Amino acid sequence: MAEDKSKRGSTVLYAKEGQANNGFVQNEDILETDLDPSSPAAGPQHNTVDILGPGEPDVKDVRPYAGMPKEVLFQFSGQARYRIPREVLFWLTVASVLVLIAATIAIIAVSPKCLDWWQVGPMYQIYPRSFKDSNKDGNGDLKGIQDKLDYITTLNIKTVWITSFYKSSLKDFRHGVEDFREIDPLFGTMKDFENLVAAIHDKGLKLIIDFIPNHTSDKHAWFQWSRNRTGKYTDYYIWHDCNYENGITIPPNNWLSVYGNSSWHFDEVRKQCYFHQFTKEQPDLNFRNPDVQEEVKEIIQFWLSKGVDGFSFDALQFLLEAKHLRDEAQVNKTQIPDTVTHYSQLHHDFTTTQVGMHDIIRSFRQTMNQYSREPGRYRFMGTEAHGESITKTMVYYGLPFIQEADFPFNNYLSKLDKPSGNSVFEVITSWMENMPEGKWPNWMTGGPDNVRLTSRLGEKYVNIMNMLVFTLPGTPITYYGEEIGMRNILTANLNETYDVGTLFSKSPMQWDNSSNAGFSEGSHTWLPTSSDYHTVNVDVQKTQPRSALKLYQELSLLHANELLLSRGWFCYLRNDNHSIMYTRELDGINRVFLMVLNFGESSLLNLKEMISNIPTRVRIRLSTNSAYSGREVDTHAVTLASGEGLILEYNTRNLLHRQTAFKDRCFISNKACYSRVLNILYSLC
């Protein structure tokens, strides 16, 4: 019995000096032993908790229990059955973390650059005076734009582009700015603008605005100070001595204004001539003066701080002129010099695209980059270079390591006046073949200074042109009203003799068939509405399943949801005077979109002869004739009416851009491939 007690007691923790076991329950197999008060064990001991015996504890036959002292715990933790699983779990955790880090780095390394907001969806250009009148004065305004933001979102638009609204005498209707930091009262107040910016951002949209830094109005404070030789403003404009006798100015050279006649005008106050590339009411700023460049940068910063997401810079090729003031060469050298009065009669080698001009543009870009550091707030920069050759236009993209514009606006489709497959093909390939590698294209079908699409090409080509820009690689840009097929007005009842020809494409937006086409509730409008507004308006076309508006919405939705259109290769198959054909395809997706657009007479096409691996029957994803959408066609005989376009869809693994025969006929801006397994895009392909 005593021996049994001894064995049992050898595994029991004794309370020394009256110390309890800290509230822990001992091993249930251990029986408590009552101590005899007279026994030595009950006497005073060291204030420690110990194990029976002076040597190492014997834990061979003991299981872990709650409250065991650290000496016992260490004995258990060192045993192989506890140590090995713990070490295995530790190293598995380390390995898992390293694998996750490596996978994350690999995915980031192989992933293509994400498309930015100015790349993922269409831009919608608004001439504010003609979009919506909110105060019944017959002029569109900023509040009117805000009232119609819900409509803009139904078009799946990503960016709203508003043309000039600065305080101005409205000479040239948007170019003669009196104060770059003020809203013209015609359009509202600065508070109206701030509310509009907030509303645009609340809708998930972005805003870009026009800015023409080349010149100001002659009513601008800078010009008034300059003509009076006030301080630093003395040389803010380009002044030069000239002769002025009997009301006739003898200019320093033969340079001409864009609108004809001499580009020099005598100022009675300063008694010198000032230079103007446009009208005499629009004197050119002197960009060789560092103070002028700094002023312009501060204007850019002012609007960026207001929340603007980007700019369209216009007339940049006119920023600098040659300092030597030599005469420009005549196109017709035999023409009598005094009869040279039209802009097209001179070679403008000294007044456009001078050395140093692109340095100024890059400084604009650097200023905007200061506001692009916040995630999701990249500031877009577009440039308009009307009349420039395609080679000079491409320079606005910048150099491989020196950024300028995100893209120069491509208005070549806006100038097409005779629809044909060959002319459309020429515009497309001219841009794609000359565009620097890795840059992003864009396509415009209209604008404030161009004849509207319907008036230029004809009503039946509205849908096919919209289909074209939404299926080409890059950003589609729509001028307000083109989505419903608005046409030019025939007359302009405006008391203004200057450049009236540009007014016909700026008529009020046609919202419904009420008075003034729903544009204004006032008694008059600044320009007359088009005579067809009873049938060509937003309200009517919203309810028509085959309307231009409905197709536009379907095209923009397809563009937003299909990687083939937003990221895919563009390969052109053929073109002739009637039609153009091209595909959009992407590595990793075994589907192809084939666009067949007919700009000529009715045609019968055998697609099997052109694409050997195309299936016998393919599906019509979208058609300019909505009755055909969703149907299948026989690829041996595809009939197209004049002005009809088809987006055909079929499955194939034999993509055209991989074939040697199409090597020089395929383009891509940001190369990417799709992984169906991981559902990601990657660039190493």
Side-chain angles (χ1 to χ4, degrees):
M1 187 71 169
E3 183 179 351
D4 184 63
K5 279 187 175 183
S6 175
K7 288 180 180 179
R8 189 184 309 152
S10 67
T11 61
V12 177
L13 278 173
Y14 287 97
K16 308 290 182 175
E17 217 175 82
Q19 296 295 317
N21 194 24
N22 297 324
F24 292 109
V25 179
Q26 294 181 358
N27 194 313
E28 292 179 355
D29 292 339
I30 302 173
L31 300 177
E32 292 185 7
T33 303
D34 293 333
L35 296 176
D36 186 346
S38 62
S39 119
Q45 301 293 328
H46 294 293
N47 189 20
T48 61
V49 178
D50 201 359
I51 304 294
L52 276 179
E56 292 294 325
D58 183 8
V59 296
K60 184 172 67 172
D61 299 324
V62 181
R63 292 181 297 175
Y65 58 90
M68 58 185 163
K70 65 180 181 180
E71 290 85 354
V72 178
L73 178 63
F74 288 156
Q75 289 294 321
F76 282 113
S77 65
Q79 294 180 9
R81 59 177 173 172
Y82 298 113
R83 187 187 72 254
I84 293 174
R86 185 173 66 247
E87 291 178 352
V88 169
L89 287 174
F90 170 77
W91 289 113
L92 281 176
T93 302
V94 171
S96 299
V97 170
L98 292 176
V99 168
L100 286 174
I101 293 173
T104 301
I105 294 173
I107 290 174
I108 293 173
V110 303
S111 294
K113 183 179 181 295
C114 293
L115 296 183
D116 221 320
W117 55 264
W118 49 273
Q119 298 171 305
V120 297
M123 295 182 175
Y124 191 73
Q125 187 182 22
I126 295 174
Y127 190 75
R129 197 177 183 185
S130 297
F131 197 62
K132 185 68 173 77
D133 172 22
S134 69
N135 59 0
K136 303 180 183 180
D137 68 350
N139 294 286
D141 46 47
L142 299 179
K143 283 185 177 179
I145 297 174
Q146 184 173 342
D147 291 342
K148 291 298 182 179
L149 288 180
D150 285 338
Y151 165 73
I152 293 174
T153 59
T154 67
L155 303 177
N156 299 301
I157 298 296
K158 298 301 180 184
T159 305
V160 177
W161 172 8
I162 303 178
T163 61
S164 183
F165 48 74
Y166 307 106
K167 186 178 180 183
S168 170
S169 62
L170 294 182
K171 202 72 176 175
D172 198 19
F173 302 99
R174 63 192 182 114
H175 294 170
V177 177
E178 296 177 19
D179 191 336
F180 286 107
R181 290 182 174 87
E182 290 291 334
I183 306 292
D184 194 284
L186 190 74
F187 302 119
T189 64
M190 185 60 75
K191 183 63 177 176
D192 293 335
F193 178 79
E194 292 168 351
N195 291 339
L196 176 59
V197 173
I200 286 174
H201 290 161
D202 286 345
K203 297 287 184 184
L205 305 175
K206 299 292 185 178
L207 172 66
I208 65 174
I209 62 175
D210 268 3
F211 184 30
I212 304 174
N214 177 70
H215 51 263
T216 70
S217 166
D218 58 357
K219 296 181 175 60
H220 197 291
W222 297 346
F223 185 77
Q224 297 303 317
W225 292 328
S226 184
R227 72 195 311 199
N228 285 287
R229 303 178 188 267
T230 304
K232 67 175 184 177
Y233 299 99
T234 300
D235 294 324
Y236 262 41
Y237 296 83
I238 301 169
W239 298 93
H240 202 275
D241 293 332
C242 60
N243 295 322
Y244 182 74
E245 298 176 0
N246 301 321
I248 299 175
T249 302
I250 302 176
N253 55 31
N254 72 341
W255 295 355
L256 297 177
S257 159
V258 170
Y259 297 112
N261 297 314
S262 176
S263 56
W264 296 94
H265 184 74
F266 184 77
D267 180 62
E268 292 284 358
V269 176
R270 182 155 166 160
K271 304 300 182 184
Q272 281 185 308
C273 281
Y274 63 84
F275 180 72
H276 58 90
Q277 294 266 24
F278 296 91
T279 70
K280 61 181 176 57
E281 293 86 3
Q282 299 166 327
D284 275 38
L285 286 166
N286 178 16
F287 269 88
R288 297 192 185 278
N289 184 337
D291 290 334
V292 171
Q293 293 189 35
E294 192 60 34
E295 291 271 14
V296 170
K297 292 176 187 177
E298 289 177 4
I299 292 169
I300 294 172
Q301 293 170 338
F302 174 83
W303 290 106
L304 291 177
S305 66
K306 291 288 183 182
V308 167
D309 299 294
F311 287 94
S312 163
F313 290 93
D314 199 357
L316 293 180
Q317 69 264 43
F318 301 109
L319 288 181
L320 292 177
E321 297 76 30
K323 293 186 287 186
H324 54 62
L325 299 185
R326 291 200 295 266
D327 283 353
E328 292 185 316
Q330 296 179 192
V331 174
N332 180 2
K333 295 182 180 180
T334 63
Q335 186 175 356
I336 300 173
D338 289 344
T339 65
V340 177
T341 58
H342 295 286
Y343 191 72
S344 60
Q345 293 173 333
L346 291 179
H347 293 292
H348 302 286
D349 298 326
F350 303 146
T351 53
T352 62
T353 318
Q354 297 298 292
V355 175
M357 180 201 74
H358 283 283
D359 293 330
I360 296 173
I361 298 173
R362 289 168 196 145
S363 72
F364 295 164
R365 174 75 267 175
Q366 291 166 5
T367 300
M368 297 179 69
N369 284 344
Q370 297 171 7
Y371 288 79
S372 299
R373 295 168 182 166
E374 184 180 344
R377 290 307 307 275
Y378 180 80
R379 306 307 175 99
F380 167 82
M381 178 175 172
T383 58
E384 296 185 69
H386 301 299
E388 292 274 51
S389 67
I390 189 68
T391 304
K392 289 184 177 180
T393 298
M394 292 300 151
V395 179
Y396 288 91
Y397 274 115
L399 301 174
F401 300 102
I402 303 177
Q403 186 184 13
E404 286 187 36
D406 292 298
F407 54 64
F409 289 104
N410 176 2
N411 68 341
Y412 289 94
L413 287 174
S414 304
K415 299 175 181 178
L416 282 180
D417 53 6
K418 292 182 180 179
S420 73
N422 288 334
S423 59
V424 171
F425 168 80
E426 185 179 347
V427 169
I428 296 171
T429 55
S430 175
W431 193 275
M432 298 301 291
E433 290 176 354
N434 286 281
M435 185 177 68
E437 184 179 357
K439 297 301 183 179
W440 192 255
N442 68 100
W443 313 94
M444 304 172 67
T445 57
D449 298 325
N450 299 107
V451 178
R452 282 196 176 273
L453 189 58
T454 303
S455 298
R456 186 161 33 93
L457 302 181
E459 182 180 352
K460 67 180 178 181
Y461 293 105
V462 170
N463 286 341
I464 197 173
M465 290 299 288
N466 283 332
M467 180 174 283
L468 175 70
V469 297
F470 273 104
T471 54
L472 289 174
T475 301
I477 303 173
T478 299
Y479 182 51
Y480 82 96
E482 300 287 24
E483 73 274 17
I484 61 173
M486 281 178 58
R487 65 176 67 246
N488 275 24
I489 54 174
L490 300 178
T491 59
N493 60 353
L494 194 69
N495 184 22
E496 177 61 64
T497 58
Y498 177 73
D499 206 10
V500 176
T502 65
L503 292 177
F504 302 128
S505 61
K506 299 170 181 170
S507 60
M509 178 66 178
Q510 295 162 201
W511 296 105
D512 54 44
N513 56 13
S514 65
S515 176
N516 298 324
F519 163 73
S520 173
E521 296 179 5
S523 58
H524 69 283
T525 57
W526 81 282
L527 283 178
T529 54
S530 179
S531 58
D532 64 355
Y533 80 87
H534 290 286
T535 55
V536 180
N537 65 67
V538 172
D539 270 6
V540 166
Q541 294 197 13
K542 281 194 301 187
T543 61
Q544 295 175 340
R546 301 184 184 182
S547 67
L549 177 60
K550 282 290 186 182
L551 178 63
Y552 185 94
Q553 292 171 324
E554 291 172 344
L555 287 167
S556 61
L557 191 61
L558 184 69
H559 182 273
N561 294 331
E562 282 288 352
L563 281 174
L564 294 176
L565 296 180
S566 60
R567 303 295 301 245
W569 286 83
F570 164 81
C571 296
Y572 65 86
L573 293 172
R574 61 157 282 177
N575 63 280
D576 55 30
N577 199 42
H578 297 294
S579 61
I580 181 173
M581 294 171 50
Y582 55 93
T583 64
R584 300 301 306 279
E585 54 191 43
L586 185 67
D587 289 291
I589 297 179
N590 296 327
R591 283 185 304 116
V592 169
F593 282 150
L594 170 62
M595 272 56 68
V596 186
L597 309 179
N598 184 25
F599 293 90
E601 300 301 322
S602 297
S603 302
L604 181 65
L605 300 176
N606 186 342
L607 302 183
K608 266 289 189 182
E609 291 182 349
M610 306 172 200
I611 310 174
S612 58
N613 64 322
I614 193 171
T616 302
R617 298 192 66 81
V618 296
R619 177 172 172 252
I620 300 176
R621 184 64 181 267
L622 274 181
S623 169
T624 53
N625 184 345
S626 61
Y628 296 157
S629 297
R631 295 184 183 180
E632 289 189 347
V633 294
D634 186 342
T635 53
H636 288 96
V638 177
T639 303
L640 287 175
S642 178
E644 184 176 1
L646 298 176
I647 301 178
L648 304 177
E649 182 180 25
Y650 62 94
N651 295 328
T652 183
R653 293 180 179 273
N654 192 14
L655 302 181
L656 294 182
H657 74 270
R658 298 176 183 168
Q659 301 177 25
T660 305
F662 289 93
K663 182 179 180 181
D664 297 327
R665 292 196 273 171
C666 294
F667 305 93
I668 192 166
S669 294
N670 292 339
K671 189 176 181 181
C673 302
Y674 177 71
S675 171
R676 286 176 291 176
V677 176
L678 301 176
N679 191 28
I680 62 169
L681 289 170
Y682 61 98
S683 57
L684 298 179
C685 53

